[in-house]
Amino acid sequence: MKQLTLYLCVWLCSWSLKTTAHEQTDSLRSVTKIIADHVSQIPGLTKDHLKRPVLSWVEQLTENRFRMRYAISTNNGKSFEAPVIVTPSITLSPHAENAPKLVFKPSGEIIAVWGVTSTSLQQGIYNKEGSDEHSHHDGPNTLKSAPKSKYAGQIYYSQSFDEGKNWTTARPLVNDPEGNDQRYFDVALNQDGEVIIIWLDNRKTGNQEGSALFMATTYQQEGFQQQHKISETTCQCCRTKLLIDPQNRIHVVYGAILQDSIRDMVHQGSTDGGKICSTPKRIHGDNWIVKTCPHTGPTMTINQTGLHFAWYSASPKKATYFTSSTDNGGSFTGFTTLSESARHPQMNTLANQLIGIVWDEVLRMGEKPATGIGMEWKSREGKTIGKLVLTSPEEMAAYPVILPLEDAFLVAYQVKTPVGQRIGWRIAVPPNAKTP
């Protein structure tokens, strides 16, 4: 099949000497490769039902029209096959902290989920849904009317049962007339082969600031079912994180609003598929008092030693922090600072139990500011064993995501090139290992 490992010639010509120098002096990284040949942003990483790496992104078609694409790697992340278009996602509104997501069920079914803002609905973009080829319509257009608040959002999803060739009509996650704002979602596959989704929702009790946290689960080919609230009140503008461990226990972490003004990260767990969740517990007592939206949420991973968390906070000082729990969220230890300039952390674990954390940070200030991707390697116990910057200032990279391969991590991110915004990726290997 045609491969998509496309280097932009003009970009390579201007940066090849810098890239080569970095590769020779830093064995922890490979050269940034470009996945998309169109203006693209917001990468996502997952694995398909055959355990192959899948890289997704948002492609910009016009000023206010976007769609989701993805590509599968058949050689463990070294290159990617021709991209697949998620045709109903033409309704998509891009937001890096409310990133579109793909999940592949063991049955082969693919579910794509994305967010739509009220502005997009008011502009009538949803009327163009399905105008691309290969979109399968099994009923009338199911897109909801625009909510009254310009800041509100809605979540839509579509299913494919034939490896992305055809997709069902996009439909809203929430059909309740009282549900007019759903955002900041995450998805994960449970041990039963079904997909669980969590999201922030306006349907909370009382008039206090913030949102409620909801959960739903798929049932066979019928989409998301059994929607129910699991907590309130949450920060209404912070990314959520969902993790399902090998024992099929559910773990969620998100920003909670405590005592009307404190926005700290909390963890909840469930042992019965989400029907009953534990009482939210702070992963650290930051006591961060903030009334604005941080727009940088938490991340979480698990290995044989327990759960591990990373998050941004401006208390006790502006930084991204790390902590662990060896008792499934009963207590938290090892509070440390990852970086004082880091934002948007993402984290994952290799089969050998090593932890990788990536983030974006400011590399240079002044007339020509630059952002890049930082990375820290941690031992199975959460101890730092390596730290580096994966990108050069010239690459202007942000919003990284991370996926475990056999013995290395696949890291993808937005990167600014001379011809526009693109999606870049590279393979990061553990300290003292050779670059593939």
Side-chain angles (χ1 to χ4, degrees):
M1 295 178 66
K2 180 181 177 181
Q3 293 192 339
L4 196 66
T5 52
L6 301 176
Y7 284 86
L8 299 177
C9 293
V10 62
W11 183 65
L12 287 178
C13 288
S14 61
W15 292 348
S16 59
L17 292 177
K18 296 183 180 69
T19 303
T20 301
H22 282 297
E23 185 182 25
Q24 289 174 346
T25 59
D26 188 353
S27 64
L28 296 182
R29 67 184 183 184
S30 58
V31 179
T32 293
K33 301 177 183 179
I34 302 300
I35 188 66
D37 55 356
H38 297 85
V39 177
S40 306
Q41 57 184 306
I42 312 177
L45 285 172
T46 188
K47 290 187 178 181
D48 68 6
H49 61 296
L50 300 178
K51 306 302 181 185
R52 300 176 300 185
V54 180
L55 174 57
S56 62
W57 64 93
V58 174
E59 180 183 45
Q60 184 170 1
L61 300 176
T62 64
E63 181 180 356
N64 61 359
R65 199 175 186 210
F66 304 84
R67 67 182 178 187
M68 188 178 185
R69 304 184 83 171
Y70 70 89
I72 296 174
S73 175
T74 60
N75 56 8
N76 203 35
K78 294 182 177 64
S79 63
F80 289 87
E81 302 296 318
V84 177
I85 299 172
V86 181
T87 48
S89 66
I90 202 69
T91 61
L92 186 153
S93 300
H95 190 302
E97 284 291 273
N98 192 36
K101 293 179 174 64
L102 283 174
V103 61
F104 292 74
K105 297 174 70 172
S107 63
E109 175 188 350
I110 310 171
I111 300 180
V113 190
W114 62 91
V116 182
T117 64
S118 60
T119 301
S120 295
L121 294 174
Q122 290 162 355
Q123 291 173 342
I125 293 176
Y126 62 90
N127 289 326
K128 301 175 183 179
E129 187 271 319
S131 61
D132 293 317
E133 295 180 359
H134 309 304
S135 180
H136 172 67
H137 292 264
D138 52 6
N141 195 308
T142 56
L143 295 172
K144 296 167 64 176
S145 59
K148 295 180 180 180
S149 172
K150 66 178 181 179
Y151 299 108
Q154 295 172 6
I155 299 171
Y156 290 87
Y157 72 98
S158 178
Q159 300 157 273
S160 176
F161 306 103
D162 57 5
E163 298 182 342
K165 298 180 180 66
N166 295 282
W167 295 86
T168 61
T169 301
R171 54 174 163 165
L173 176 65
V174 174
N175 289 301
D176 184 349
E178 298 299 321
N180 54 43
D181 187 11
Q182 299 85 42
R183 292 177 289 171
Y184 300 100
F185 62 92
D186 197 18
V187 294
L189 193 68
N190 67 19
Q191 303 301 318
D192 304 317
E194 298 293 349
V195 181
I196 296 179
I197 184 170
I198 59 172
W199 70 95
L200 302 186
D201 196 293
N202 68 287
R203 294 172 293 172
K204 65 182 187 299
T205 57
N207 297 318
Q208 71 273 28
E209 184 184 6
S211 299
L213 183 67
F214 271 67
M215 178 183 292
T217 306
T218 58
Y219 177 71
Q220 298 180 3
Q221 295 187 357
E222 298 180 13
F224 290 105
Q225 312 287 320
Q226 304 173 359
Q227 299 185 13
H228 62 286
K229 181 171 61 178
I230 63 173
S231 186
E232 61 178 59
T233 307
T234 73
C235 174
Q236 64 270 44
C237 49
C238 292
R239 183 182 73 230
T240 60
K241 178 61 180 178
L242 169 66
L243 183 150
I244 302 174
D245 68 23
Q247 287 73 43
N248 215 25
R249 293 176 298 216
I250 296 173
H251 302 271
V252 298
V253 61
Y254 56 92
I257 299 180
L258 309 170
Q259 302 175 13
D260 297 325
S261 59
I262 296 173
R263 302 196 183 199
D264 280 357
M265 301 301 167
V266 300
H267 166 270
Q268 280 185 270
S270 175
T271 60
D272 62 359
K275 297 176 183 178
I276 300 176
C277 292
S278 62
T279 302
K281 189 167 186 177
R282 283 195 284 185
I283 62 177
H284 186 263
D286 297 340
N287 294 315
W288 183 19
I289 298 176
V290 58
K291 289 292 186 179
T292 59
C293 288
H295 287 298
T296 174
T299 184
M300 171 175 45
T301 191
I302 190 170
N303 64 9
Q304 292 176 354
T305 65
L307 294 165
H308 306 276
F309 307 84
W311 72 101
Y312 170 81
S313 177
S315 178
K317 60 183 177 181
K318 291 183 179 180
T320 293
Y321 298 99
F322 175 88
T323 193
S324 301
S325 174
T326 59
D327 55 5
N328 289 308
S331 61
F332 302 90
T333 59
F335 174 74
T336 58
T337 300
L338 292 172
S339 169
E340 293 185 8
S341 61
R343 303 292 187 275
H344 310 115
Q346 298 277 7
M347 183 163 48
N348 223 313
T349 301
L350 292 178
N352 63 9
Q353 307 303 303
L354 292 184
I355 300 167
I357 312 171
V358 292
W359 59 80
D360 55 37
E361 62 181 21
V362 176
L363 299 179
R364 183 177 63 212
M365 299 292 288
E367 293 184 4
K368 295 183 178 181
T371 59
I373 307 304
M375 182 175 186
E376 183 164 315
W377 286 89
K378 287 186 174 292
S379 68
R380 56 182 294 168
E381 296 80 17
K383 304 298 183 182
T384 301
I385 58 175
K387 195 168 186 177
L388 69 153
V389 177
L390 286 173
T391 56
S392 65
E394 289 79 6
E395 290 179 279
M396 285 293 290
Y399 297 110
V401 287
I402 184 170
L403 182 77
L405 303 174
E406 292 178 357
D407 53 4
F409 283 113
L410 179 63
V411 182
Y413 38 85
Q414 293 182 188
V415 58
K416 186 177 180 180
T417 75
V419 291
Q421 192 77 27
R422 297 293 189 269
I423 298 300
W425 96 95
R426 66 178 68 216
I427 294 175
V429 301
N432 303 318
K434 295 182 178 179
T435 302

